[in-house]
Amino acid sequence: MGAGFVIRPEEAADHAAIDQVVRGAFARHPEEVALLVERIRASENFVRELALVAEDDSGVIGHVMLSWVGVENGSRSRILCLSPMSVRPDRQLRGVGAALIRAALDRAEAAGEPAVILEGIPAYYPRFGFERASPLGFVAPSASVPDAAFMVKRLPGYDATLAGRIVYPAAFDHLTH
Ligand SMILES: CC(C)(COP(=O)(O)OP(=O)(O)OC[C@H]1O[C@@H](n2cnc3c(N)ncnc32)[C@H](O)[C@@H]1OP(=O)(O)O)[C@@H](O)C(=O)NCCC(=O)NCCS
């Protein structure tokens, strides 16, 4: 893996450390994002093998989850969503986030999934091949999502009929950001 850390699926023993990493990364709204992780994990939309941690000799330093969200009027009723994405503050800007995102996308592609959507930093995700989703026909889950933040990564199985209105499951209901 290089750079002194490894990427692997999360395990039950990691939950407390993941909680700390998420709270550290989202210091302005720690409760909200920590609860999102817990609610996704407890839901039928959780995909165990697509919840990944980065770990070095100090413990868990990063975490990412791909989980199912709904698609209305698309050819499939659900699509993978990357959220949340967290790197421990003392390990940011060292390629940890990039390694987690690439590993998650590789695993989604290997599983035959055609696409991954997210709401995220417009300056960060295009380097991984994410592009604006609305020109492809996707409709954001809420009008409050900036168009530039609503992105999709097309994987080899992608086709235009996948597009539709994204509907977040109940695990996302408490989010205000
Ligand atoms: C955003 C985040 C996941 C990036 O992970 P990371 O491991 O720190 O970043 P990487 O080392 O993979 O990538 C570094 C690059 O990303 C850019 N980047 C990192 N955070 C950024 C941000 N908030 N806005 C714009 N660009 C950002 C850096 O400028 C750098 O660019 P360069 O390669 O052109 O110099 C991480 O900083 C983080 O957890 N931040 C707090 C929580 C958060 O905002 N999560 C994402 C919500 S969508």
Side-chain angles (χ1 to χ4, degrees):
M1 203 94 335
F5 60 89
V6 297
I7 306 278
R8 60 170 176 78
E10 66 168 48
E11 293 169 11
D14 301 315
H15 290 179
I18 291 167
D19 189 67
Q20 289 304 306
V21 168
V22 170
R23 288 170 187 271
F26 290 92
R28 283 176 298 142
H29 42 107
E31 291 298 329
E32 198 176 298
V33 189
L35 186 58
L36 177 66
V37 170
E38 284 181 22
R39 294 186 73 182
I40 291 173
R41 202 184 265 142
S43 79
E44 63 191 10
N45 299 305
F46 180 55
V47 185
R48 181 170 301 280
E49 58 277 18
L50 296 179
L52 305 177
V53 294
E55 181 178 50
D56 71 8
D57 55 12
S58 73
V60 174
I61 58 171
H63 177 254
V64 70
M65 268 180 170
L66 301 187
S67 65
W68 298 116
V69 298
V71 188
E72 280 177 358
N73 304 320
S75 55
R76 296 186 181 207
S77 61
R78 62 184 194 174
I79 190 168
L80 288 172
C81 174
L82 188 156
S83 181
M85 165 77 239
S86 312
V87 177
R88 208 171 72 191
D90 66 336
R91 292 293 191 277
Q92 289 178 3
L93 307 182
R94 300 176 183 200
V96 175
L100 279 166
I101 292 163
R102 292 201 174 98
L105 292 174
D106 284 352
R107 287 168 191 237
E109 180 176 336
E113 288 305 318
V116 175
I117 63 130
L118 60 73
E119 247 182 82
I121 303 164
Y124 184 57
Y125 290 97
R127 70 190 67 195
F128 310 109
F130 283 89
E131 63 189 306
R132 282 187 189 226
S134 59
L136 295 171
F138 288 95
V139 179
S142 136
S144 66
V145 180
D147 195 58
F150 179 50
M151 291 178 266
V152 62
K153 165 76 178 183
R154 291 188 266 171
L155 294 170
Y158 185 87
D159 82 79
T161 65
L162 288 164
R165 176 181 293 277
I166 301 300
V167 182
Y168 282 160
F172 291 67
D173 281 354
H174 66 291
L175 296 180
T176 58
H177 293 87

